[in-house]
Coordinates of all heavy atoms in Angstrom, one line a residue:
A301 N -8.4 43.6 45.8 CA -7.0 43.2 45.5 C -6.9 42.4 44.2 O -5.9 42.5 43.5 CB -6.5 42.4 46.7
Q302 N -7.8 41.5 44.0 CA -7.7 40.5 42.9 C -8.4 41.0 41.6 O -7.9 40.6 40.5 CB -8.2 39.1 43.3 CG -7.4 38.5 44.4 CD -8.0 37.1 44.8 OE1 -8.4 36.4 43.9 NE2 -7.9 36.8 46.1
L303 N -9.4 41.7 41.7 CA -10.2 42.2 40.5 C -10.2 43.7 40.3 O -10.6 44.2 39.3 CB -11.6 41.6 40.6 CG -11.8 40.1 40.6 CD1 -13.3 39.8 40.7 CD2 -11.1 39.5 39.4
G304 N -9.8 44.4 41.3 CA -9.9 45.9 41.2 C -11.2 46.5 41.2 O -11.4 47.6 40.7
T305 N -12.2 45.8 41.8 CA -13.6 46.3 41.8 C -14.3 45.8 43.0 O -13.7 45.1 43.9 CB -14.4 45.8 40.5 OG1 -15.6 46.5 40.5 CG2 -14.6 44.3 40.5
T306 N -15.6 46.1 43.2 CA -16.3 45.7 44.4 C -17.2 44.5 44.0 O -17.5 44.2 42.9 CB -17.2 46.8 44.9 OG1 -18.2 47.0 43.9 CG2 -16.4 48.1 45.2
P307 N -17.6 43.7 45.0 CA -18.5 42.5 44.7 C -19.8 42.9 44.0 O -20.2 42.3 43.1 CB -18.7 41.9 46.1 CG -17.6 42.3 46.9 CD -17.2 43.7 46.4
L308 N -20.4 44.0 44.5 CA -21.6 44.5 43.9 C -21.5 44.9 42.5 O -22.3 44.6 41.6 CB -22.3 45.6 44.7 CG -23.6 46.1 44.3 CD1 -24.6 45.0 44.2 CD2 -24.1 47.2 45.2
A309 N -20.4 45.7 42.2 CA -20.1 46.1 40.8 C -19.9 44.9 39.9 O -20.3 44.9 38.8 CB -18.9 47.1 40.8
W310 N -19.1 43.9 40.4 CA -18.9 42.7 39.6 C -20.2 42.0 39.3 O -20.4 41.6 38.2 CB -17.9 41.8 40.3 CG -17.7 40.5 39.6 CD1 -16.8 40.3 38.6 CD2 -18.4 39.3 39.8 NE1 -16.9 39.0 38.1 CE2 -17.9 38.4 38.8 CE3 -19.4 38.9 40.6 CZ2 -18.3 37.1 38.7 CZ3 -19.9 37.6 40.5 CH2 -19.4 36.7 39.6
L311 N -21.0 41.8 40.3 CA -22.2 41.1 40.2 C -23.2 41.8 39.2 O -23.8 41.2 38.3 CB -22.9 41.0 41.5 CG -24.1 40.0 41.7 CD1 -23.7 38.6 41.2 CD2 -24.7 40.0 43.1
T312 N -23.2 43.1 39.3 CA -24.1 43.9 38.4 C -23.6 43.8 36.9 O -24.4 43.6 36.0 CB -24.1 45.4 38.8 OG1 -24.7 45.5 40.1 CG2 -25.0 46.2 37.8
G313 N -22.3 43.9 36.8 CA -21.7 43.7 35.4 C -22.0 42.4 34.8 O -22.3 42.3 33.6
E314 N -21.9 41.3 35.6 CA -22.2 40.0 35.1 C -23.6 39.8 34.7 O -24.0 39.2 33.7 CB -21.8 38.9 36.1 CG -20.3 38.8 36.4 CD -19.6 38.2 35.2 OE1 -20.0 37.2 34.6 OE2 -18.6 38.9 34.8
R315 N -24.5 40.4 35.4 CA -25.9 40.4 35.1 C -26.3 41.1 33.8 O -27.1 40.7 33.0 CB -26.8 40.9 36.3 CG -26.8 39.9 37.4 CD -27.5 40.4 38.7 NE -27.9 39.4 39.6 CZ -28.1 39.5 40.9 NH1 -27.9 40.7 41.5 NH2 -28.4 38.5 41.6
I316 N -25.7 42.3 33.7 CA -25.9 43.0 32.4 C -25.4 42.3 31.2 O -26.0 42.2 30.2 CB -25.3 44.4 32.6 CG1 -26.0 45.2 33.7 CG2 -25.3 45.2 31.2 CD1 -25.3 46.5 34.1
A317 N -24.2 41.7 31.4 CA -23.6 40.9 30.3 C -24.5 39.7 29.9 O -24.7 39.4 28.7 CB -22.2 40.4 30.6
L318 N -25.1 39.1 30.9 CA -26.0 38.0 30.6 C -27.3 38.5 30.0 O -27.8 37.9 29.0 CB -26.4 37.3 32.0 CG -27.4 36.2 31.9 CD1 -27.0 35.1 30.9 CD2 -27.7 35.6 33.2
A319 N -27.8 39.6 30.4 CA -29.0 40.2 29.7 C -28.7 40.5 28.3 O -29.5 40.2 27.4 CB -29.4 41.5 30.4
C320 N -27.5 41.0 28.0 CA -27.2 41.3 26.6 C -27.2 40.0 25.8 O -27.7 39.9 24.6 CB -25.8 42.0 26.5 SG -25.8 43.7 27.1
R321 N -26.6 38.9 26.3 CA -26.5 37.7 25.6 C -27.9 37.1 25.4 O -28.2 36.5 24.3 CB -25.6 36.7 26.4 CG -24.2 37.1 26.4 CD -23.3 35.9 26.9 NE -23.6 35.4 28.2 CZ -23.1 35.8 29.3 NH1 -22.2 36.9 29.3 NH2 -23.4 35.3 30.5
L322 N -28.8 37.2 26.3 CA -30.1 36.7 26.2 C -30.9 37.4 25.0 O -31.6 36.8 24.2 CB -30.9 36.8 27.5 CG -30.5 35.9 28.6 CD1 -31.2 36.3 29.9 CD2 -30.8 34.5 28.3
I323 N -30.7 38.7 25.0 CA -31.3 39.5 23.9 C -30.7 39.1 22.5 O -31.5 38.9 21.6 CB -31.1 41.0 24.1 CG1 -31.9 41.5 25.4 CG2 -31.6 41.8 22.9 CD1 -31.7 42.9 25.8
E324 N -29.4 38.9 22.5 CA -28.8 38.5 21.2 C -29.2 37.1 20.8 O -29.3 36.9 19.6 CB -27.3 38.5 21.4 CG -26.7 39.9 21.6 CD -25.2 39.9 22.0 OE1 -24.5 39.0 21.6 OE2 -24.8 40.8 22.7
R325 N -29.6 36.3 21.7 CA -30.0 34.9 21.4 C -31.5 34.9 21.0 O -32.0 33.8 20.6 CB -29.7 34.0 22.6 CG -28.3 33.8 22.8 CD -28.0 33.0 24.1 NE -26.6 32.9 24.5 CZ -26.1 32.5 25.6 NH1 -27.0 32.2 26.6 NH2 -24.8 32.4 25.8
G326 N -32.2 36.0 21.1 CA -33.5 36.0 20.6 C -34.7 36.2 21.6 O -35.8 36.2 21.2
E327 N -34.3 36.3 22.9 CA -35.4 36.4 23.9 C -36.1 37.8 23.7 O -35.4 38.8 23.8 CB -34.8 36.3 25.3 CG -35.9 36.5 26.4 CD -37.0 35.5 26.3 OE1 -36.8 34.3 26.4 OE2 -38.1 36.0 26.0
Q328 N -37.4 37.8 23.4 CA -38.1 39.0 23.1 C -38.7 39.7 24.4 O -38.9 40.9 24.4 CB -39.2 38.7 22.1 CG -38.7 38.2 20.8 CD -38.2 39.3 19.9 OE1 -38.6 40.4 20.0 NE2 -37.3 38.9 19.0
R329 N -39.0 38.9 25.4 CA -39.7 39.4 26.5 C -38.7 40.0 27.5 O -37.9 39.3 28.1 CB -40.5 38.2 27.2 CG -41.5 37.5 26.3 CD -41.9 36.2 26.9 NE -40.7 35.3 26.9 CZ -40.8 34.0 27.4 NH1 -41.9 33.6 28.0 NH2 -39.7 33.3 27.4
L330 N -38.9 41.3 27.7 CA -37.9 42.0 28.6 C -38.1 41.6 30.0 O -37.1 41.5 30.8 CB -38.2 43.5 28.5 CG -37.8 44.2 27.1 CD1 -37.9 45.7 27.3 CD2 -36.4 43.7 26.7
D331 N -39.3 41.3 30.4 CA -39.5 40.8 31.8 C -38.7 39.5 32.0 O -38.2 39.3 33.1 CB -41.0 40.6 32.1 CG -41.7 41.9 32.3 OD1 -41.1 42.9 32.6 OD2 -43.0 41.9 32.1
E332 N -38.7 38.6 31.0 CA -38.0 37.4 31.1 C -36.5 37.6 31.1 O -35.8 36.9 31.9 CB -38.4 36.4 30.0 CG -37.8 35.1 30.0 CD -38.3 34.2 31.2 OE1 -39.2 34.6 31.9 OE2 -37.7 33.1 31.3
V333 N -36.0 38.5 30.3 CA -34.6 38.8 30.3 C -34.2 39.4 31.7 O -33.2 39.0 32.2 CB -34.3 39.8 29.2 CG1 -32.8 40.3 29.3 CG2 -34.5 39.3 27.8
A334 N -35.0 40.3 32.2 CA -34.7 40.9 33.5 C -34.7 39.8 34.6 O -33.8 39.8 35.5 CB -35.7 42.0 33.9
R335 N -35.7 38.9 34.5 CA -35.8 37.8 35.6 C -34.6 36.9 35.5 O -33.9 36.6 36.5 CB -37.1 37.0 35.4 CG -37.3 35.9 36.4 CD -38.4 35.0 36.1 NE -38.2 34.2 34.9 CZ -37.4 33.1 34.9 NH1 -36.9 32.7 36.1 NH2 -37.2 32.4 33.8
R336 N -34.3 36.4 34.3 CA -33.2 35.4 34.1 C -31.8 36.0 34.4 O -30.9 35.2 34.8 CB -33.3 34.8 32.7 CG -34.5 33.9 32.5 CD -34.6 33.5 31.1 NE -33.5 32.7 30.6 CZ -33.3 32.3 29.4 NH1 -34.2 32.6 28.4 NH2 -32.3 31.6 29.0
S337 N -31.6 37.3 34.2 CA -30.3 37.9 34.4 C -30.2 38.4 35.9 O -29.1 38.9 36.2 CB -30.1 39.0 33.4 OG -31.1 40.1 33.6
G338 N -31.3 38.4 36.6 CA -31.2 38.9 38.0 C -31.4 40.4 38.1 O -31.1 40.9 39.2
L339 N -31.8 41.1 37.0 CA -31.9 42.5 37.1 C -33.3 42.9 37.6 O -33.6 44.1 37.7 CB -31.7 43.1 35.7 CG -30.2 43.1 35.3 CD1 -30.0 43.6 33.8 CD2 -29.3 43.8 36.2
G340 N -34.2 42.0 37.8 CA -35.4 42.3 38.5 C -36.6 42.6 37.6 O -37.5 41.8 37.3
T341 N -36.6 43.9 37.1 CA -37.7 44.4 36.4 C -37.3 44.9 35.0 O -36.1 45.2 34.8 CB -38.4 45.6 37.1 OG1 -37.5 46.7 37.1 CG2 -38.8 45.2 38.5
A342 N -38.3 44.9 34.1 CA -38.0 45.5 32.7 C -37.5 46.9 32.8 O -36.6 47.3 32.0 CB -39.2 45.3 31.8
A343 N -38.0 47.7 33.7 CA -37.6 49.1 33.9 C -36.2 49.2 34.3 O -35.4 50.0 33.8 CB -38.5 49.8 34.9
N344 N -35.8 48.3 35.2 CA -34.4 48.3 35.7 C -33.4 47.9 34.5 O -32.4 48.4 34.3 CB -34.2 47.4 36.9 CG -32.8 47.5 37.5 OD1 -32.2 48.6 37.6 ND2 -32.2 46.4 37.8
L345 N -33.9 46.9 33.8 CA -33.1 46.4 32.6 C -32.9 47.5 31.6 O -31.8 47.7 31.1 CB -33.9 45.2 32.0 CG -33.4 44.8 30.6 CD1 -31.9 44.3 30.7 CD2 -34.3 43.7 30.0
R346 N -34.0 48.2 31.3 CA -33.9 49.3 30.3 C -32.9 50.4 30.8 O -32.0 50.8 30.0 CB -35.3 50.0 30.1 CG -36.3 49.2 29.4 CD -37.5 50.0 29.0 NE -38.6 49.2 28.5 CZ -39.5 48.6 29.2 NH1 -39.6 48.8 30.5 NH2 -40.4 47.9 28.6
A347 N -33.0 50.8 32.1 CA -32.1 51.8 32.6 C -30.6 51.3 32.6 O -29.7 52.1 32.2 CB -32.5 52.2 34.0
R348 N -30.4 50.1 33.0 CA -29.0 49.6 33.1 C -28.4 49.4 31.7 O -27.3 49.8 31.4 CB -29.0 48.2 33.8 CG -29.4 48.3 35.3 CD -28.2 48.8 36.0 NE -28.4 48.7 37.5 CZ -27.5 49.1 38.4 NH1 -26.4 49.6 38.0 NH2 -27.8 49.1 39.7
L349 N -29.2 48.9 30.7 CA -28.7 48.6 29.4 C -28.4 49.9 28.7 O -27.4 50.1 28.0 CB -29.7 47.8 28.6 CG -29.2 47.2 27.3 CD1 -28.2 46.2 27.6 CD2 -30.3 46.6 26.5
R350 N -29.3 50.9 28.9 CA -29.0 52.2 28.3 C -27.7 52.9 28.9 O -26.9 53.5 28.1 CB -30.2 53.2 28.4 CG -30.0 54.5 27.7 CD -31.3 55.3 27.7 NE -32.4 54.8 27.0 CZ -32.5 54.9 25.7 NH1 -31.6 55.6 25.0 NH2 -33.5 54.4 25.1
R351 N -27.6 52.7 30.2 CA -26.4 53.3 30.8 C -25.1 52.6 30.3 O -24.1 53.2 30.1 CB -26.5 53.1 32.3 CG -25.2 53.6 33.0 CD -25.3 53.3 34.5 NE -24.0 53.6 35.1 CZ -23.6 53.2 36.3 NH1 -24.5 52.5 37.1 NH2 -22.5 53.5 36.8
E352 N -25.2 51.2 30.2 CA -24.0 50.5 29.8 C -23.6 50.6 28.3 O -22.5 50.5 28.0 CB -24.1 49.0 30.2 CG -24.5 48.8 31.7 CD -23.5 49.4 32.6 OE1 -22.3 49.5 32.3 OE2 -23.9 49.7 33.8
T353 N -24.6 50.6 27.5 CA -24.4 50.5 26.0 C -24.8 51.7 25.2 O -24.4 51.9 24.1 CB -25.1 49.3 25.4 OG1 -26.5 49.5 25.5 CG2 -24.8 48.0 26.2
G354 N -25.6 52.6 25.9 CA -26.1 53.8 25.1 C -27.3 53.4 24.3 O -27.8 54.3 23.5
L355 N -27.8 52.2 24.4 CA -28.9 51.7 23.5 C -30.1 51.2 24.4 O -29.9 50.7 25.5 CB -28.4 50.5 22.7 CG -27.3 50.8 21.7 CD1 -26.8 49.5 21.1 CD2 -27.7 51.8 20.6
S356 N -31.3 51.4 23.9 CA -32.4 50.8 24.5 C -32.5 49.3 24.2 O -31.8 48.9 23.3 CB -33.7 51.5 24.0 OG -33.9 51.2 22.6
P357 N -33.2 48.5 24.9 CA -33.3 47.1 24.6 C -33.7 46.8 23.1 O -33.2 45.9 22.5 CB -34.3 46.5 25.6 CG -34.2 47.4 26.8 CD -33.9 48.8 26.2
S358 N -34.7 47.6 22.6 CA -35.1 47.4 21.2 C -34.0 47.7 20.2 O -33.8 47.0 19.2 CB -36.4 48.2 20.9 OG -36.2 49.6 21.2
A359 N -33.3 48.8 20.5 CA -32.2 49.2 19.6 C -31.1 48.2 19.7 O -30.4 47.9 18.7 CB -31.7 50.6 20.0
Y360 N -30.8 47.7 20.9 CA -29.8 46.7 21.1 C -30.2 45.4 20.3 O -29.3 44.8 19.6 CB -29.6 46.3 22.5 CG -28.4 45.5 22.8 CD1 -27.1 46.1 23.1 CD2 -28.4 44.1 22.8 CE1 -26.0 45.3 23.4 CE2 -27.3 43.3 23.0 CZ -26.1 44.0 23.3 OH -25.0 43.2 23.5
R361 N -31.5 45.0 20.3 CA -31.9 43.8 19.6 C -31.8 44.0 18.1 O -31.4 43.1 17.4 CB -33.4 43.5 20.0 CG -33.9 42.3 19.3 CD -35.4 42.0 19.7 NE -35.5 41.7 21.1 CZ -36.1 42.6 22.0 NH1 -36.6 43.7 21.6 NH2 -36.2 42.2 23.2
R362 N -32.1 45.2 17.6 CA -32.0 45.5 16.2 C -30.6 45.4 15.7 O -30.3 45.0 14.6 CB -32.6 46.9 15.8 CG -34.1 47.0 15.9 CD -34.6 48.2 15.2 NE -34.1 49.4 15.9 CZ -34.8 50.0 16.9 NH1 -35.9 49.5 17.3 NH2 -34.3 51.1 17.4
R363 N -29.7 45.8 16.6 CA -28.3 45.8 16.2 C -27.6 44.5 16.4 O -26.7 44.1 15.5 CB -27.5 46.9 17.0 CG -26.1 47.1 16.6 CD -25.4 48.2 17.2 NE -24.0 48.3 16.9 CZ -23.1 49.0 17.5 NH1 -23.5 49.7 18.5 NH2 -21.9 48.9 17.1
F364 N -27.9 43.8 17.4 CA -27.2 42.5 17.8 C -28.0 41.3 17.8 O -27.5 40.2 18.1 CB -26.5 42.7 19.1 CG -25.4 43.8 19.1 CD1 -25.6 44.9 20.0 CD2 -24.3 43.8 18.3 CE1 -24.6 45.9 20.1 CE2 -23.4 44.8 18.3 CZ -23.5 45.8 19.2
G365 N -29.3 41.4 17.6 CA -30.2 40.2 17.7 C -30.0 39.2 16.6 O -29.2 39.4 15.7
P366 N -30.7 38.1 16.7 CA -30.6 37.0 15.7 C -30.8 37.5 14.3 O -31.7 38.4 14.0 CB -31.7 36.0 16.1 CG -31.9 36.3 17.5 CD -31.7 37.7 17.7
G367 N -29.9 37.1 13.4 CA -30.1 37.5 12.0 C -29.4 38.8 11.6 O -29.5 39.2 10.5
T368 N -28.8 39.5 12.6 CA -28.2 40.8 12.3 C -26.7 40.5 12.4 O -26.2 39.7 13.1 CB -28.5 41.8 13.3 OG1 -28.1 41.5 14.6 CG2 -30.0 42.0 13.4
K369 N -25.9 41.3 11.6 CA -24.5 41.3 11.6 C -24.0 42.7 11.7 O -24.1 43.5 10.8 CB -23.9 40.6 10.3 CG -24.2 39.1 10.3 CD -23.5 38.5 9.1 CE -23.8 37.0 9.0 NZ -23.2 36.3 10.2

Side-chain angles (χ1 to χ4, degrees):
Q302 296 180 34
L303 300 180
T305 189
T306 66
L308 182 58
W310 176 84
L311 191 58
T312 301
E314 290 295 311
R315 284 172 164 159
I316 294 167
L318 175 57
C320 289
R321 294 196 298 272
L322 291 171
I323 293 172
E324 291 172 31
R325 292 169 185 172
E327 179 57 66
Q328 298 282 332
R329 300 162 296 174
L330 293 189
D331 286 338
E332 182 67 7
V333 172
R335 183 190 67 80
R336 291 172 60 185
S337 63
L339 291 175
T341 66
N344 188 43
L345 168 64
R346 290 189 187 93
R348 291 286 186 178
L349 194 67
R350 185 175 290 280
R351 176 188 170 192
E352 305 302 333
T353 69
L355 301 171
S356 66
S358 58
Y360 192 92
R361 182 181 296 110
R362 286 194 299 271
R363 185 172 174 197
F364 297 120
T368 64
K369 291 186 180 295

